[in-house]
Amino acid sequence: MMKTNFFEMVYEVVKLIPKGRATSYGAIANYLGTGRSARMVGWAMNAAHNLYDVPAHRVVNRNGQLSGKNHFENPRRMEELLESEGIHVSNDQIENFDKVFWDPNLELAI
DNA sequence: TGGCTGACTTTCG
DNA sequence: ACGAAAGCCAGCC
């Protein structure tokens, strides 16, 4: 995908995350080519939460922790959304993150 | 124009 | 093994 804006690229990747799956900021950053700038992905989410219809709850840090839950309208919302999609969350962390992890580099053809 | 910031990640001490 | 610090880059004062 050749988007002019970094944000839109992030949004598209996040939208492509299958239901019941989750990915990490670093994975998206790596897919976009920004590499180590995983912080920007999270920052893009911050800008996206109201402007675009992006399932930001499917994006967590590399440990599967809901690091961005505080940036939702209600911190509980992120966990509820994940649970509603079949992803079990325990103590603000995704269970079996190895299984639900969805790597854009692996699943998407560049 | 220049510097600060950030929902991360990795590495050094 | 745990804690602190740097690295990364695009938007926003």
Side-chain angles (χ1 to χ4, degrees), chain A residues 11-103:
Chain A
Y11 304 151
E12 290 219 7
V13 175
V14 175
K15 286 179 182 177
L16 289 174
I17 300 174
K19 184 179 179 181
R21 296 296 194 95
T23 189
S24 67
Y25 301 97
I28 297 175
N30 186 26
Y31 175 75
L32 295 180
T34 51
R36 302 164 189 173
S37 300
R39 297 194 294 185
M40 286 220 39
V41 178
W43 183 42
M45 296 283 94
N46 186 23
H49 71 84
N50 258 339
L51 304 176
Y52 294 80
D53 183 21
V54 178
H57 57 279
R58 294 179 187 159
V59 183
V60 294
N61 65 2
R62 74 180 195 99
N63 295 320
Q65 291 181 316
L66 280 55
S67 51
K69 65 173 187 173
N70 266 335
H71 293 262
F72 280 74
E73 300 177 9
N74 192 335
R76 196 72 183 179
R77 185 66 186 278
M78 187 172 185
E79 181 177 341
E80 287 180 357
L81 289 170
L82 289 172
E83 290 283 353
S84 68
E85 295 185 354
I87 300 177
H88 297 283
V89 179
S90 175
N91 194 14
D92 295 338
Q93 184 167 343
I94 297 177
E95 295 182 358
N96 300 323
F97 186 59
D98 305 352
K99 295 181 182 177
V100 298
F101 180 70
W102 181 83
D103 190 350

